[in-house]
Each structure stands twice: as structure tokens, then as C-alpha cells.
Amino acid sequence: MPKTSARLLALLSLLQTRRDWSGTVLADRLDISLRTVRRDVDRLRELGYPIAAVKGPDGGYRLGAGTELPPLLFDDEQAVALTIALQIAATTPGNGLAEPAERALNTIRQVMPSRLRHRVDAVRVTAVEPPATRPAAPVDGDVLLTVSAAVHAREILRFDYAAGAADEPPRRVEPHHVITWDGRWYLIAWDLDRDDWRTFRADRITPHTPNGPRFTPRVLPGGDVAAFVTGTFRGSGDSSGNWPCQGTVILNLPAATVALYTRDGVVEEIGPYRCRLTLGSWSWPSLAAAIARYDADFEVVGPDELAGAFEHLARRFTRTTAGPVARSGRWYRGSAPDVADMPEAPRTP
């Protein structure tokens, strides 16, 4: 590579690493004169890179955003990371960006040097979503861009929401975060008409233009979006991120064995073949059923609601093993259940 070209690439690489550079520091880093720095900056500007002059005692330079996308410079690690990210986007169902991600991946691969292309071609990543009875609906990429732009600009967003009534007026919200959860895209926003935080599925949003006025962002409950979203989908209704029902039992199993099958819980060893397990769920019966899946003897540490849930399931299973009995036109196995014995239906977000 000619010396001048190599120097231009080195200068561009430095300008991309931080916001402002003084001319003196650039000259020292590249071992050239200030005059050469100015000349190389002019060459980069001719190539389409928007490099602005920064006022100061020594003068300086800043690489800004332009109206067109000029050639980009990536080191080997950046190129590999970008390739993997694009592969994931291209193979993730329902994100609405698979086709443009695939085109971007092919474009980047074509301009890579052969040594790097061989490394990248050896990396094959496919995003596999777990089986679902209701697969995530595809999301229009333009919708994601519109919603994300409103979040960034802090502008009130108006949209029709498919889950609402047919004659329902457009929703008016202060958009705060665009997130993904279990293969779906969601908007976290403050609903101006309902005066509360709401979570909207992006595939059900049809934006109205133009956006409304700018707003001052409210503080998300708890201040952490991950905890807020986790608490919302777990049904706790707060920003703790915890399950609404949490309990502890002593299992007659080694802690190492239980840990292999515990994705979301705390396992503490209390002996060679005993451990303390703390789990959470959206209801007490579902928590009791999750603990029963470990197929081992156990004792309930607490709370009392968990012990009551095991009693409730025991009665239900006992009825199931008996013969069918009819009541009010419906058939049950064993004696018909008492309405008071039924747990309250869980509330879903």
C-alpha cells in the first residue's frame, strides 16, 4: 500500500475512535507535520468524509455525520463482530429486517480482503427461536424506525393499535424504549390517555404522522428498563423484576444436579444430597407444579401460600385419578371441584 494511502487510513482510524482530536496530537501519533495533517484531512474530505474543524489553541478536527455514507474503515475484530451481528439479524424470524440484513452482509463480504473473508466465511451463525404455539408476527422495518426515531427525538407518538376496539381513537404516548422479548418487539411508553405505563407490541402498531410535540422524559419505575420489563412480563406489576409468587423448599437432591435444570432460581447446597431451592412463578399452583417437576421428596420452607398450593394440587390430582362425575352439564373425574377450591385466574400483561 502506498505510504500516503496507509497514512490516510491511519488518520481515519484515529478520527473514528473519539470525538475531537487536536492537530498536534494527530501529528505526534502519525509522526508527521501539522501541514501534512491538514493536507491529509483535505484529502479525506474530498473522499466524502465530513471532517469539521474544531476551534481551540492548537486547532483540531472532528469526524461528523454526513448526508451520504462514505467508505468505512473497520479493523479485523470490528468486521467479524459486524458480520456475526448481521447473520443473527438475517436469520431471526419476525424482526422485519432479515432481507436488508442479508443484503448488508453480502455487501460487506464483497469488500473484505481475502484473508478476512476466509475467516468470516468460517463463522456461520443461525438464530433459532424456541418452538411457540403462536409464532411472533413479522414487524415492518419502517415501523421500528418510526417508533425508534420518536423515542430518540422525545416526540409524542400517535398510532392505531390492532389489539384495541375498532372504533378506538389513536393512542397517544410518550415513547421511551424499544425492546425485544422472547422473539417479539415491544414499545415501552407512558400512555397519556390512561395516565400509566404501557407495553405495546410493535407488530400491532400503525403509526400516524407527523409526531406530536416534544416531551420531557419521565423516570421509568425503578429507573432500570430491564427490571421494569421483566417485572411486567412476569406479572409482578412493579419494577423489582421479581415473580409475583416466590417460595423456598428443601429438595432431597444434590445442588449440582438441581442447578443443571434451574434456569431462573437460586440453588444453595446444604448437604451432599440436599439443597435449598428458591423459585418464582406467576401463581402459587404453577410454582408448586414447577417444584414437583424435580421428581424428589422435599419440604416447604415458606411461605404458607406455597404449602397451600401443594394441598390444592393434591386434591386436584386425587380427583383426577377417580372416575368421571357430571355436574351442571360438565364432566369431572372424581368428585366435582368446589368453586372455593379454585385459584384465582392469573393476570397477564
Side-chain angles (χ1 to χ4, degrees), residues 136-190:
V139 179
D140 191 326
D142 290 338
V143 171
L144 285 179
L145 290 175
T146 299
V147 173
S148 298
V151 172
H152 180 73
R154 299 177 178 177
E155 294 175 344
I156 291 176
L157 185 66
R158 299 179 303 117
F159 57 86
D160 294 326
Y161 196 56
D167 56 349
E168 184 176 309
R171 307 295 284 265
R172 298 184 311 115
V173 304
E174 296 176 355
H176 281 256
H177 296 86
V178 175
I179 60 110
T180 60
W181 178 279
D182 197 21
R184 296 186 187 274
W185 291 85
Y186 294 88
L187 168 67
I188 308 300
W190 175 266

Short mmCIF file of all heavy atoms in Angstrom, two decimals, residues 136-190:
data_model
loop_
_atom_site.label_atom_id
_atom_site.label_comp_id
_atom_site.label_asym_id
_atom_site.label_seq_id
_atom_site.Cartn_x
_atom_site.Cartn_y
_atom_site.Cartn_z
N ALA A 136 -44.10 -15.36 16.61
CA ALA A 136 -44.11 -13.90 16.58
C ALA A 136 -44.45 -13.40 15.19
O ALA A 136 -43.94 -13.91 14.19
CB ALA A 136 -42.75 -13.36 17.02
N ALA A 137 -45.34 -12.42 15.12
CA ALA A 137 -45.71 -11.83 13.84
C ALA A 137 -44.56 -10.96 13.34
O ALA A 137 -43.87 -10.32 14.13
CB ALA A 137 -46.98 -11.00 13.99
N PRO A 138 -44.34 -10.92 12.02
CA PRO A 138 -43.26 -10.07 11.49
C PRO A 138 -43.54 -8.60 11.74
O PRO A 138 -44.70 -8.17 11.73
CB PRO A 138 -43.25 -10.41 9.99
CG PRO A 138 -44.61 -10.95 9.71
CD PRO A 138 -45.06 -11.64 10.96
N VAL A 139 -42.49 -7.84 11.96
CA VAL A 139 -42.60 -6.41 12.22
C VAL A 139 -42.03 -5.65 11.04
O VAL A 139 -40.92 -5.95 10.57
CB VAL A 139 -41.86 -6.02 13.51
CG1 VAL A 139 -41.97 -4.52 13.76
CG2 VAL A 139 -42.42 -6.78 14.70
N ASP A 140 -42.77 -4.68 10.55
CA ASP A 140 -42.31 -3.85 9.45
C ASP A 140 -41.11 -3.03 9.91
O ASP A 140 -41.16 -2.36 10.95
CB ASP A 140 -43.45 -2.92 9.01
CG ASP A 140 -43.15 -2.21 7.70
OD1 ASP A 140 -41.96 -1.88 7.46
OD2 ASP A 140 -44.07 -1.97 6.92
N GLY A 141 -40.02 -3.08 9.14
CA GLY A 141 -38.83 -2.32 9.50
C GLY A 141 -39.09 -0.83 9.57
O GLY A 141 -38.51 -0.13 10.41
N ASP A 142 -40.00 -0.32 8.72
CA ASP A 142 -40.32 1.11 8.76
C ASP A 142 -41.01 1.48 10.07
O ASP A 142 -40.82 2.59 10.59
CB ASP A 142 -41.22 1.48 7.58
CG ASP A 142 -40.48 1.43 6.25
OD1 ASP A 142 -39.23 1.53 6.28
OD2 ASP A 142 -41.13 1.29 5.20
N VAL A 143 -41.81 0.57 10.61
CA VAL A 143 -42.47 0.84 11.89
C VAL A 143 -41.43 0.94 12.99
O VAL A 143 -41.47 1.85 13.83
CB VAL A 143 -43.50 -0.26 12.21
CG1 VAL A 143 -44.02 -0.11 13.65
CG2 VAL A 143 -44.66 -0.21 11.23
N LEU A 144 -40.47 0.01 12.99
CA LEU A 144 -39.41 0.05 14.01
C LEU A 144 -38.62 1.35 13.91
O LEU A 144 -38.29 1.97 14.93
CB LEU A 144 -38.48 -1.14 13.84
CG LEU A 144 -39.00 -2.50 14.31
CD1 LEU A 144 -37.95 -3.58 14.05
CD2 LEU A 144 -39.36 -2.47 15.78
N LEU A 145 -38.31 1.77 12.68
CA LEU A 145 -37.55 3.01 12.51
C LEU A 145 -38.36 4.22 12.97
O LEU A 145 -37.83 5.12 13.62
CB LEU A 145 -37.15 3.17 11.04
CG LEU A 145 -36.10 2.20 10.51
CD1 LEU A 145 -35.89 2.39 9.01
CD2 LEU A 145 -34.78 2.38 11.25
N THR A 146 -39.66 4.25 12.65
CA THR A 146 -40.50 5.38 13.04
C THR A 146 -40.63 5.47 14.55
O THR A 146 -40.50 6.55 15.15
CB THR A 146 -41.90 5.23 12.41
OG1 THR A 146 -41.77 5.23 10.98
CG2 THR A 146 -42.80 6.38 12.83
N VAL A 147 -40.89 4.33 15.19
CA VAL A 147 -41.04 4.31 16.64
C VAL A 147 -39.72 4.66 17.32
O VAL A 147 -39.68 5.45 18.27
CB VAL A 147 -41.56 2.94 17.10
CG1 VAL A 147 -41.58 2.86 18.62
CG2 VAL A 147 -42.96 2.68 16.55
N SER A 148 -38.63 4.08 16.85
CA SER A 148 -37.32 4.36 17.44
C SER A 148 -36.94 5.82 17.27
O SER A 148 -36.34 6.42 18.17
CB SER A 148 -36.26 3.45 16.82
OG SER A 148 -36.53 2.09 17.06
N ALA A 149 -37.29 6.41 16.11
CA ALA A 149 -36.99 7.82 15.89
C ALA A 149 -37.76 8.70 16.87
O ALA A 149 -37.23 9.70 17.38
CB ALA A 149 -37.32 8.21 14.45
N ALA A 150 -39.00 8.34 17.17
CA ALA A 150 -39.79 9.10 18.14
C ALA A 150 -39.19 8.99 19.53
O ALA A 150 -39.19 9.96 20.31
CB ALA A 150 -41.23 8.61 18.14
N VAL A 151 -38.68 7.80 19.87
CA VAL A 151 -38.01 7.62 21.16
C VAL A 151 -36.78 8.52 21.24
O VAL A 151 -36.56 9.22 22.23
CB VAL A 151 -37.61 6.15 21.36
CG1 VAL A 151 -36.73 5.99 22.61
CG2 VAL A 151 -38.84 5.26 21.48
N HIS A 152 -36.00 8.52 20.18
CA HIS A 152 -34.76 9.31 20.17
C HIS A 152 -35.06 10.81 20.21
O HIS A 152 -34.38 11.57 20.91
CB HIS A 152 -33.94 8.97 18.93
CG HIS A 152 -32.66 9.73 18.83
ND1 HIS A 152 -31.57 9.47 19.62
CD2 HIS A 152 -32.29 10.77 18.03
CE1 HIS A 152 -30.59 10.30 19.32
NE2 HIS A 152 -31.00 11.11 18.35
N ALA A 153 -36.07 11.25 19.46
CA ALA A 153 -36.40 12.68 19.38
C ALA A 153 -37.25 13.15 20.56
O ALA A 153 -37.47 14.34 20.71
CB ALA A 153 -37.13 12.97 18.07
N ARG A 154 -37.73 12.20 21.38
CA ARG A 154 -38.60 12.52 22.52
C ARG A 154 -39.83 13.28 22.04
O ARG A 154 -40.20 14.33 22.58
CB ARG A 154 -37.84 13.33 23.57
CG ARG A 154 -36.64 12.58 24.15
CD ARG A 154 -35.87 13.44 25.12
NE ARG A 154 -34.75 12.69 25.70
CZ ARG A 154 -33.86 13.22 26.54
NH1 ARG A 154 -33.99 14.50 26.91
NH2 ARG A 154 -32.89 12.49 27.02
N GLU A 155 -40.48 12.70 21.03
CA GLU A 155 -41.70 13.29 20.48
C GLU A 155 -42.88 12.36 20.75
O GLU A 155 -42.76 11.13 20.67
CB GLU A 155 -41.55 13.51 18.97
CG GLU A 155 -40.50 14.55 18.61
CD GLU A 155 -40.29 14.67 17.11
OE1 GLU A 155 -40.72 13.76 16.38
OE2 GLU A 155 -39.70 15.67 16.68
N ILE A 156 -44.03 12.96 21.07
CA ILE A 156 -45.24 12.18 21.32
C ILE A 156 -45.60 11.40 20.06
O ILE A 156 -45.60 11.93 18.95
CB ILE A 156 -46.39 13.09 21.76
CG1 ILE A 156 -46.09 13.67 23.15
CG2 ILE A 156 -47.72 12.35 21.77
CD1 ILE A 156 -47.12 14.67 23.63
N LEU A 157 -45.90 10.13 20.25
CA LEU A 157 -46.20 9.22 19.14
C LEU A 157 -47.69 8.92 19.14
O LEU A 157 -48.28 8.64 20.19
CB LEU A 157 -45.40 7.93 19.29
CG LEU A 157 -45.49 6.91 18.16
CD1 LEU A 157 -44.87 7.48 16.88
CD2 LEU A 157 -44.78 5.61 18.56
N ARG A 158 -48.31 8.98 17.97
CA ARG A 158 -49.72 8.63 17.81
C ARG A 158 -49.80 7.42 16.89
O ARG A 158 -49.12 7.37 15.87
CB ARG A 158 -50.51 9.80 17.22
CG ARG A 158 -50.50 11.04 18.09
CD ARG A 158 -51.28 12.18 17.45
NE ARG A 158 -50.76 12.52 16.12
CZ ARG A 158 -51.45 12.41 14.99
NH1 ARG A 158 -52.70 11.98 15.02
NH2 ARG A 158 -50.91 12.73 13.84
N PHE A 159 -50.63 6.45 17.25
CA PHE A 159 -50.72 5.25 16.42
C PHE A 159 -52.03 4.51 16.70
O PHE A 159 -52.63 4.63 17.76
CB PHE A 159 -49.54 4.31 16.66
CG PHE A 159 -49.36 3.88 18.10
CD1 PHE A 159 -50.05 2.78 18.62
CD2 PHE A 159 -48.50 4.58 18.94
CE1 PHE A 159 -49.88 2.39 19.93
CE2 PHE A 159 -48.32 4.19 20.26
CZ PHE A 159 -49.01 3.10 20.76
N ASP A 160 -52.47 3.75 15.67
CA ASP A 160 -53.57 2.81 15.84
C ASP A 160 -52.98 1.51 16.39
O ASP A 160 -51.89 1.09 15.97
CB ASP A 160 -54.27 2.53 14.51
CG ASP A 160 -54.98 3.76 13.96
OD1 ASP A 160 -55.48 4.55 14.80
OD2 ASP A 160 -55.02 3.93 12.73
N TYR A 161 -53.73 0.90 17.31
CA TYR A 161 -53.25 -0.33 17.92
C TYR A 161 -54.24 -1.45 17.62
O TYR A 161 -55.42 -1.36 17.96
CB TYR A 161 -53.09 -0.14 19.43
CG TYR A 161 -52.24 -1.21 20.08
CD1 TYR A 161 -50.94 -1.45 19.63
CD2 TYR A 161 -52.73 -1.97 21.14
CE1 TYR A 161 -50.16 -2.43 20.22
CE2 TYR A 161 -51.96 -2.94 21.74
CZ TYR A 161 -50.67 -3.17 21.27
OH TYR A 161 -49.89 -4.14 21.87
N ALA A 162 -53.75 -2.51 16.99
CA ALA A 162 -54.63 -3.57 16.49
C ALA A 162 -55.35 -4.30 17.60
O ALA A 162 -56.40 -4.90 17.37
CB ALA A 162 -53.81 -4.56 15.64
N ALA A 163 -54.81 -4.29 18.82
CA ALA A 163 -55.45 -5.01 19.92
C ALA A 163 -56.63 -4.27 20.51
O ALA A 163 -57.38 -4.83 21.31
CB ALA A 163 -54.42 -5.29 21.02
N GLY A 164 -56.83 -3.02 20.13
CA GLY A 164 -57.92 -2.23 20.68
C GLY A 164 -59.22 -2.42 19.92
O GLY A 164 -59.31 -3.17 18.94
N ALA A 165 -60.26 -1.74 20.37
CA ALA A 165 -61.56 -1.81 19.69
C ALA A 165 -61.49 -1.13 18.34
O ALA A 165 -60.63 -0.26 18.09
CB ALA A 165 -62.64 -1.17 20.57
N ALA A 166 -62.42 -1.50 17.45
CA ALA A 166 -62.38 -0.98 16.08
C ALA A 166 -62.57 0.53 16.05
O ALA A 166 -62.00 1.22 15.20
CB ALA A 166 -63.45 -1.67 15.24
N ASP A 167 -63.40 1.06 16.96
CA ASP A 167 -63.68 2.50 16.96
C ASP A 167 -62.81 3.25 17.98
O ASP A 167 -63.10 4.40 18.31
CB ASP A 167 -65.15 2.75 17.27
CG ASP A 167 -65.58 2.12 18.60
OD1 ASP A 167 -64.80 1.33 19.15
OD2 ASP A 167 -66.69 2.44 19.06
N GLU A 168 -61.79 2.62 18.48
CA GLU A 168 -60.95 3.26 19.48
C GLU A 168 -60.09 4.35 18.84
O GLU A 168 -59.51 4.14 17.78
CB GLU A 168 -60.04 2.22 20.14
CG GLU A 168 -59.18 2.76 21.26
CD GLU A 168 -58.38 1.66 21.94
OE1 GLU A 168 -58.99 0.66 22.32
OE2 GLU A 168 -57.15 1.82 22.06
N PRO A 169 -60.01 5.52 19.45
CA PRO A 169 -59.19 6.60 18.87
C PRO A 169 -57.71 6.23 18.92
O PRO A 169 -57.31 5.33 19.66
CB PRO A 169 -59.50 7.80 19.76
CG PRO A 169 -59.93 7.20 21.06
CD PRO A 169 -60.65 5.93 20.70
N PRO A 170 -56.88 6.92 18.15
CA PRO A 170 -55.44 6.62 18.17
C PRO A 170 -54.85 6.77 19.57
O PRO A 170 -55.26 7.64 20.35
CB PRO A 170 -54.85 7.66 17.20
CG PRO A 170 -55.99 8.05 16.31
CD PRO A 170 -57.22 7.97 17.17
N ARG A 171 -53.91 5.92 19.89
CA ARG A 171 -53.23 6.02 21.17
C ARG A 171 -52.24 7.18 21.11
O ARG A 171 -51.60 7.43 20.07
CB ARG A 171 -52.48 4.72 21.48
CG ARG A 171 -53.33 3.47 21.40
CD ARG A 171 -54.41 3.44 22.45
NE ARG A 171 -53.90 3.11 23.76
CZ ARG A 171 -53.91 1.88 24.27
NH1 ARG A 171 -54.38 0.86 23.55
NH2 ARG A 171 -53.45 1.66 25.49
N ARG A 172 -52.09 7.87 22.22
CA ARG A 172 -51.12 8.97 22.33
C ARG A 172 -50.19 8.63 23.49
O ARG A 172 -50.63 8.50 24.64
CB ARG A 172 -51.82 10.30 22.60
CG ARG A 172 -52.79 10.75 21.52
CD ARG A 172 -53.36 12.13 21.83
NE ARG A 172 -53.87 12.21 23.18
CZ ARG A 172 -53.36 13.01 24.13
NH1 ARG A 172 -52.33 13.79 23.86
NH2 ARG A 172 -53.88 13.02 25.35
N VAL A 173 -48.90 8.47 23.15
CA VAL A 173 -47.96 8.02 24.17
C VAL A 173 -46.67 8.82 24.09
O VAL A 173 -46.34 9.43 23.06
CB VAL A 173 -47.62 6.52 23.99
CG1 VAL A 173 -48.88 5.67 24.02
CG2 VAL A 173 -46.83 6.28 22.71
N GLU A 174 -45.96 8.80 25.22
CA GLU A 174 -44.59 9.29 25.26
C GLU A 174 -43.68 8.06 25.16
O GLU A 174 -43.53 7.32 26.12
CB GLU A 174 -44.32 10.04 26.57
CG GLU A 174 -45.16 11.31 26.73
CD GLU A 174 -44.94 11.97 28.08
OE1 GLU A 174 -44.22 11.38 28.93
OE2 GLU A 174 -45.48 13.07 28.30
N PRO A 175 -43.08 7.82 24.00
CA PRO A 175 -42.29 6.61 23.81
C PRO A 175 -40.95 6.70 24.55
O PRO A 175 -40.29 7.73 24.52
CB PRO A 175 -42.08 6.55 22.30
CG PRO A 175 -42.13 7.99 21.87
CD PRO A 175 -43.12 8.66 22.79
N HIS A 176 -40.58 5.62 25.21
CA HIS A 176 -39.36 5.64 26.00
C HIS A 176 -38.33 4.59 25.58
O HIS A 176 -37.14 4.88 25.55
CB HIS A 176 -39.68 5.46 27.49
CG HIS A 176 -40.16 6.71 28.15
ND1 HIS A 176 -39.38 7.48 28.98
CD2 HIS A 176 -41.35 7.35 28.07
CE1 HIS A 176 -40.06 8.52 29.39
NE2 HIS A 176 -41.27 8.48 28.84
N HIS A 177 -38.76 3.38 25.27
CA HIS A 177 -37.81 2.33 24.91
C HIS A 177 -38.43 1.38 23.89
O HIS A 177 -39.62 1.07 23.98
CB HIS A 177 -37.39 1.50 26.13
CG HIS A 177 -36.64 2.27 27.17
ND1 HIS A 177 -37.28 2.99 28.16
CD2 HIS A 177 -35.31 2.45 27.37
CE1 HIS A 177 -36.38 3.57 28.92
NE2 HIS A 177 -35.19 3.27 28.47
N VAL A 178 -37.61 0.93 22.95
CA VAL A 178 -37.97 -0.17 22.06
C VAL A 178 -37.15 -1.37 22.50
O VAL A 178 -35.92 -1.30 22.57
CB VAL A 178 -37.68 0.17 20.58
CG1 VAL A 178 -37.96 -1.04 19.70
CG2 VAL A 178 -38.52 1.36 20.13
N ILE A 179 -37.83 -2.48 22.81
CA ILE A 179 -37.13 -3.64 23.36
C ILE A 179 -37.57 -4.90 22.62
O ILE A 179 -38.58 -4.92 21.92
CB ILE A 179 -37.40 -3.79 24.88
CG1 ILE A 179 -38.90 -3.99 25.15
CG2 ILE A 179 -36.91 -2.57 25.63
CD1 ILE A 179 -39.28 -5.34 25.60
N THR A 180 -36.79 -5.97 22.78
CA THR A 180 -37.18 -7.29 22.29
C THR A 180 -37.34 -8.20 23.49
O THR A 180 -36.59 -8.11 24.47
CB THR A 180 -36.12 -7.88 21.34
OG1 THR A 180 -34.86 -8.00 22.03
CG2 THR A 180 -35.95 -7.01 20.12
N TRP A 181 -38.34 -9.09 23.41
CA TRP A 181 -38.60 -10.04 24.49
C TRP A 181 -39.19 -11.30 23.86
O TRP A 181 -40.23 -11.27 23.23
CB TRP A 181 -39.57 -9.44 25.51
CG TRP A 181 -39.94 -10.37 26.64
CD1 TRP A 181 -40.87 -11.37 26.61
CD2 TRP A 181 -39.37 -10.40 27.95
NE1 TRP A 181 -40.93 -12.01 27.81
CE2 TRP A 181 -40.03 -11.44 28.66
CE3 TRP A 181 -38.41 -9.65 28.60
CZ2 TRP A 181 -39.72 -11.74 29.98
CZ3 TRP A 181 -38.11 -9.95 29.92
CH2 TRP A 181 -38.75 -10.98 30.60
N ASP A 182 -38.49 -12.39 24.01
CA ASP A 182 -38.98 -13.69 23.55
C ASP A 182 -39.38 -13.66 22.08
O ASP A 182 -40.44 -14.16 21.69
CB ASP A 182 -40.16 -14.13 24.42
CG ASP A 182 -40.45 -15.63 24.28
OD1 ASP A 182 -39.55 -16.37 23.86
OD2 ASP A 182 -41.59 -16.05 24.58
N GLY A 183 -38.54 -13.05 21.26
CA GLY A 183 -38.77 -13.04 19.82
C GLY A 183 -39.71 -11.96 19.31
O GLY A 183 -39.96 -11.90 18.11
N ARG A 184 -40.25 -11.13 20.20
CA ARG A 184 -41.14 -10.05 19.76
C ARG A 184 -40.52 -8.69 20.07
O ARG A 184 -39.67 -8.56 20.95
CB ARG A 184 -42.50 -10.13 20.48
CG ARG A 184 -43.31 -11.38 20.16
CD ARG A 184 -44.69 -11.28 20.80
NE ARG A 184 -45.45 -12.51 20.68
CZ ARG A 184 -46.20 -12.82 19.64
NH1 ARG A 184 -46.28 -11.99 18.62
NH2 ARG A 184 -46.87 -13.96 19.61
N TRP A 185 -40.98 -7.68 19.32
CA TRP A 185 -40.56 -6.30 19.55
C TRP A 185 -41.67 -5.57 20.29
O TRP A 185 -42.86 -5.74 19.97
CB TRP A 185 -40.29 -5.59 18.22
CG TRP A 185 -39.08 -6.09 17.50
CD1 TRP A 185 -39.02 -7.17 16.66
CD2 TRP A 185 -37.76 -5.54 17.54
NE1 TRP A 185 -37.74 -7.32 16.20
CE2 TRP A 185 -36.95 -6.35 16.71
CE3 TRP A 185 -37.19 -4.46 18.20
CZ2 TRP A 185 -35.60 -6.08 16.52
CZ3 TRP A 185 -35.85 -4.21 18.01
CH2 TRP A 185 -35.06 -5.01 17.18
N TYR A 186 -41.27 -4.74 21.27
CA TYR A 186 -42.25 -4.01 22.08
C TYR A 186 -41.82 -2.55 22.24
O TYR A 186 -40.62 -2.23 22.17
CB TYR A 186 -42.38 -4.62 23.48
CG TYR A 186 -42.96 -6.01 23.51
CD1 TYR A 186 -42.13 -7.13 23.39
CD2 TYR A 186 -44.32 -6.23 23.66
CE1 TYR A 186 -42.65 -8.42 23.43
CE2 TYR A 186 -44.86 -7.50 23.71
CZ TYR A 186 -44.01 -8.59 23.58
OH TYR A 186 -44.53 -9.86 23.61
N LEU A 187 -42.82 -1.71 22.47
CA LEU A 187 -42.59 -0.30 22.81
C LEU A 187 -43.02 -0.10 24.25
O LEU A 187 -44.15 -0.42 24.63
CB LEU A 187 -43.40 0.62 21.89
CG LEU A 187 -43.47 2.10 22.32
CD1 LEU A 187 -42.10 2.75 22.22
CD2 LEU A 187 -44.50 2.85 21.48
N ILE A 188 -42.11 0.44 25.07
CA ILE A 188 -42.43 0.84 26.43
C ILE A 188 -42.71 2.33 26.41
O ILE A 188 -41.88 3.12 25.96
CB ILE A 188 -41.27 0.53 27.40
CG1 ILE A 188 -40.81 -0.92 27.26
CG2 ILE A 188 -41.67 0.84 28.84
CD1 ILE A 188 -41.87 -1.93 27.55
N ALA A 189 -43.90 2.73 26.88
CA ALA A 189 -44.30 4.14 26.73
C ALA A 189 -45.24 4.54 27.87
O ALA A 189 -45.87 3.70 28.51
CB ALA A 189 -44.99 4.36 25.38
N TRP A 190 -45.31 5.85 28.08
CA TRP A 190 -46.29 6.42 29.03
C TRP A 190 -47.53 6.77 28.23
O TRP A 190 -47.48 7.60 27.31
CB TRP A 190 -45.73 7.65 29.71
CG TRP A 190 -46.71 8.34 30.60
CD1 TRP A 190 -47.51 9.39 30.27
CD2 TRP A 190 -47.01 8.02 31.96
NE1 TRP A 190 -48.29 9.75 31.34
CE2 TRP A 190 -48.01 8.92 32.40
CE3 TRP A 190 -46.53 7.06 32.85
CZ2 TRP A 190 -48.52 8.89 33.68
CZ3 TRP A 190 -47.05 7.03 34.13
CH2 TRP A 190 -48.03 7.93 34.55
#
